[in-house]
Amino acid sequence: MENGHSNGKEIKLGQLTQEPEVDINVLRRSTRIPYYMRLKYSLLNSKSDEDNEMHLFSGSTFNISEHGIGMEGTKGFPPNFKILATLFTGKKVIKFEGTIRWLYHSNSEKWYMGVEVSSRRDELKELYTSLSLTSDFGI
């Protein structure tokens, strides 16, 4: 993708192919489960947690795994940037920190990011385990 324009050769989100008829299996540490919940996020900086309460960007999750969350939002950050996020699960609010592992920008002005969670892992893993017991399918 050059300057936001598609050349038709980009790899589609979640799909890797060398040739149209040859699929490549992606090695992952854990299964992804579709999970759609609202969240707010911002860059994690060296200021105190009280200063970080102001999340500047909004988005939602699209999947969850044992170690991370796939999210889409109004602003994307490059890999290795650290973020602070608040996840609204419907039952409770979970604030967590994470590191961006991959970034994809679509023509629809949405940013897709893979986030490796670095805090509150137990709560998010508990949520993942609960979902995996009630869900038949993962990717």
Side-chain angles (χ1 to χ4, degrees):
M1 182 177 300
E2 289 185 30
N3 298 325
H5 292 84
S6 172
N7 64 11
K9 296 181 182 177
E10 291 85 8
I11 295 174
K12 302 239 184 288
L13 186 63
Q15 175 189 24
L16 294 175
T17 61
Q18 287 179 333
E19 299 175 17
E21 61 277 346
V22 179
D23 288 334
I24 299 171
N25 292 325
V26 178
L27 298 176
R28 293 182 162 170
R29 294 192 310 177
S30 61
T31 302
R32 271 63 171 168
I33 297 173
Y35 183 67
Y36 304 95
M37 289 292 165
R38 187 172 63 90
L39 56 74
K40 296 266 187 189
Y41 63 100
S42 61
L43 278 177
L44 182 65
N45 57 34
S46 59
K47 295 182 181 180
S48 72
D49 286 338
E50 293 162 19
D51 292 336
N52 283 326
E53 291 298 316
M54 189 174 128
H55 295 308
L56 301 175
F57 308 105
S58 60
S60 63
T61 62
F62 58 85
N63 69 31
I64 187 169
S65 72
E66 283 185 279
H67 307 286
I69 288 182
M71 59 181 268
E72 65 179 46
T74 56
K75 174 69 177 166
F77 301 112
N80 298 320
F81 275 52
K82 301 208 181 297
I83 63 165
L84 176 67
T86 301
L87 175 64
F88 303 94
T89 70
K91 295 180 181 177
K92 63 181 175 177
V93 174
I94 302 173
K95 293 182 182 179
F96 66 92
E97 295 175 10
T99 303
I100 305 296
R101 292 298 174 209
W102 58 264
L103 172 71
Y104 173 83
H105 184 250
S106 71
N107 289 336
S108 67
E109 298 304 316
K110 288 187 180 179
W111 293 87
Y112 297 90
M113 294 166 276
V115 179
E116 182 177 8
V117 175
S118 57
S119 71
R120 310 282 295 264
R121 284 183 169 178
D122 289 342
E123 286 179 87
L124 291 169
K125 193 170 184 176
E126 182 180 311
L127 177 61
Y128 170 79
T129 301
S130 172
L131 289 168
S132 67
L133 295 174
T134 60
S135 176
D136 286 348
F137 105 94
I139 47 177

